[in-house]
C-alpha cells in the first residue's frame, strides 16, 4: 500500500506480514523500517508496541531512526575517521563530530526495493555505491523480516566489491505498554552481559570494557529501568540515561536480553548473533509520533545488536571488516510472550 512519497516523487510503500492472533508487522520501504508491531499482550489487549511516525516527511526530517534498518555502520565512528589497509578513510559525521548510524544520509533515509513478499515475510534490498557517505566499496545489502506466531525474525546480509566496513542493525523503539502510553520507566530489563563500554561525552569509547558490577549497568537480573536511569553514576549522567554497548556473553544466535512490562504483563526476549548490544533508553526522543502525539525522552527503548562502537579504530575488538567474496550476516529475533 502506498503511504506517501519521497521528495522526488517516488512512492513509499507499506507491507504487512504476519497474522493475528500472532504478531503482525508493518514495514516501510523507506529505510526498510519497522513501522508497527502489533502483539497480543498479557492483559488480553492487542497493541502496537513499536514507536513510529505517521508522516513520511517526519521520518526524513526528524532524527530518531525509529524502526529503521541502520547502515552502512551502526553506532559511532570517532570523528568519522579510520584506517583501512593503510589508507585513511573519512566518512560523513552527524553527531557531535562523529559518524552515527551511517552518516547524515544513512540507509534509514533511502528507499529500499521489495524483492519478495509473502504472507509471513518480506525481503528488501539496497545498493550503496562506492563512496556513499565516504565509505569505500559498493555494497549490496538486504534485510528479511519474517513474522511467525509470536516471533519476529530480522536477517541482514551484505556483500561488497572492495574492502569496507559493515555493521547493520534494526533501530526499533519498543514500549510494551503500547506506542503513546508514556515512558518505559516501569519496564524491567535483563541483559546477559558482564561488561559494558564506557564512553566520553560524545558517545565514543574511552578505553577498555568495564565490569557492570556495582553499577547501574548491572542488568544481569530483572532491573526496573526508571530508578536505574536516575542514578548519579557519571556514565548515566553523560548520556542522560543509558546509551551504551554491552558485551553480551556467548556466541552465535543466543538470548541476549529480556524486556518486560508488569503493567500489560507482556515480555519480549531478544536473540542475536552479534557480540554487542547497544542499549538506548530513548534519552533524546522528541518530535512527532502518531495521532498528533509528540515523543518525549524515555517513551521507548532501542535494543540494537551490533559490533562494538568505533570498532574500525579498535583492531583488537570483533571486526566489522567485509571483503569481496565474503557475506556479512546478522540475525535478530524478538520473541514476544505473556506473563
Amino acid at each position: 500500500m502506498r503511504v506517501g512519497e519521497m521528495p522526488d516523487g517516488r512512492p513509499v510503500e507499506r507491507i504487512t506480514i504476519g497474522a493475528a492472533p500472532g504478531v503482525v508487522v508493518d514495514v516501510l520501504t523507506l529505510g526498510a523500517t519497522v513501522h508497527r508491531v502489533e502483539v497480543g499482550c498479557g492483559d488480553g489487549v492487542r497493541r502496537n508496541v513499536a514507536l513510529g511516525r505517521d508522516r513520511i516527511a517526519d521520518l526524513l526530517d526528524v532524527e530518531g531512526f525509529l524502526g529503521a534498518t541502520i547502515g552502512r555502520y551502526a553506532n559511532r565512528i570517532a570523528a568519522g575517521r579510520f584506517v583501512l589497509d593503510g589508507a585513511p578513510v573519512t566518512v560523513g559525521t552527524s553527531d557531535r563530530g562523529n559518524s552515527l548510524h551511517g552518516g547524515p544520509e544513512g540507509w534509514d533515509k533511502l528507499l529500499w526495493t521489495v524483492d519478495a513478499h509473502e504472507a509471513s515475510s518480506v525481503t528488501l534490498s539496497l545498493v550503496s555505491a562506492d563512496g556513499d557517505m565516504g565509505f569505500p566499496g559498493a555494497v549490496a545489502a538486504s534485510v528479511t523480516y519474517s513474522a511467525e506466531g509470536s516471533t519476529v525474525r530480522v536477517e541482514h546480509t551484505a556483500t561488497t566489491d572492495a574492502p569496507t566496513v559493515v555493521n547493520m542493525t534494526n533501530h526499533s523503539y519498543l514500549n510494551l505498554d503500547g506506542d503513546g502510553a508514556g515512558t518505559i520507566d516501569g519496564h524491567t530489563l535483563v541483559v546477559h552481559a558482564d561488561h559494558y563500554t564506557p564512553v566520553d561525552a560524545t558517545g565514543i569509547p574511552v578505553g577498555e570494557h568495564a565490569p557492570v558490577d556495582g553499577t547501574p549497568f548491572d542488568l544481569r537480573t530483572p532491573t526496573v529501568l526508571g530508578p536505574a536511569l536516575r542514578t548519579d553514576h557519571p556514565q548515566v549522567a553523560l548520556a542522560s540515561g543509558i546509551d551504551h554497548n554491552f558485551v553480551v556473553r556467548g556466541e552465535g544466535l543466543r538470548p541476549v536480553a529480556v524486556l518486560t512490562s508488569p503493567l500489560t504483563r507482556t515480555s519480549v526476549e531478544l536473540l542475536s548473533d552479534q557480540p554487542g548490544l547497544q542499549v538506548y533508553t530513548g534519552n533524546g526522543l522528541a518530535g512527532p509520533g502518531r495521532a498528533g502525539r509528540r515523543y518525549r525522552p524515555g517513551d521507548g527503548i532501542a535494543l540494537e545488536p551490533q559490533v562494538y562502537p568505533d570498532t574500525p579504530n579498535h583492531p583488537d575488538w570483533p571486526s566489522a571488516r567485509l571483503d569481496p567474496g565474503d557475506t556479512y550476516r546478522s540475525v535478530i529475533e524478538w520473541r514476544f510472550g505473556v506473563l
Side-chain angles (χ1 to χ4, degrees), residues 158-176:
T159 58
T160 182
D161 65 357
T164 190
V165 294
V166 172
N167 180 28
M168 298 175 67
T169 195
N170 179 271
H171 205 293
S172 289
Y173 289 89
L174 298 177
N175 185 323
L176 299 179

Side-chain angles (χ1 to χ4, degrees), residues 67-118:
T69 296
I70 301 299
R72 182 176 302 193
Y73 191 91
N75 216 311
R76 295 170 179 87
I77 298 175
R81 297 174 183 171
F82 60 98
V83 174
L84 186 65
D85 291 337
V89 177
T90 301
V91 298
T93 58
S94 56
D95 176 62
R96 295 168 290 183
N98 302 314
S99 176
L100 174 65
H101 295 334
E105 295 183 15
W107 294 354
D108 61 298
K109 303 295 188 187
L110 303 181
L111 198 61
W112 292 58
T113 299
V114 177
D115 289 342
H117 177 209
E118 300 177 356

Side-chain angles (χ1 to χ4, degrees), residues 14 26-28 33-37 48 50-53 290:
R14 184 182 69 215
D26 285 348
V27 176
L28 301 181
T33 294
V34 172
H35 187 55
R36 293 174 57 89
V37 179
N48 167 45
L51 275 57
R53 306 193 195 278
R290 293 190 172 99

Side-chain angles (χ1 to χ4, degrees), residues 271-290:
L271 286 78
S272 163
D273 59 359
Q274 295 299 290
L277 177 70
Q278 187 79 9
V279 175
Y280 177 50
T281 52
N283 317 324
L285 268 174
R290 293 190 172 99

Side-chain angles (χ1 to χ4, degrees), residues 13 16 59 74 121 144 181 195 218 228 239 260 288 320 333:
E13 304 288 337
T16 300
L59 287 170
S121 68
T144 297
H195 294 80
D218 190 349
T260 302
E333 286 190 3

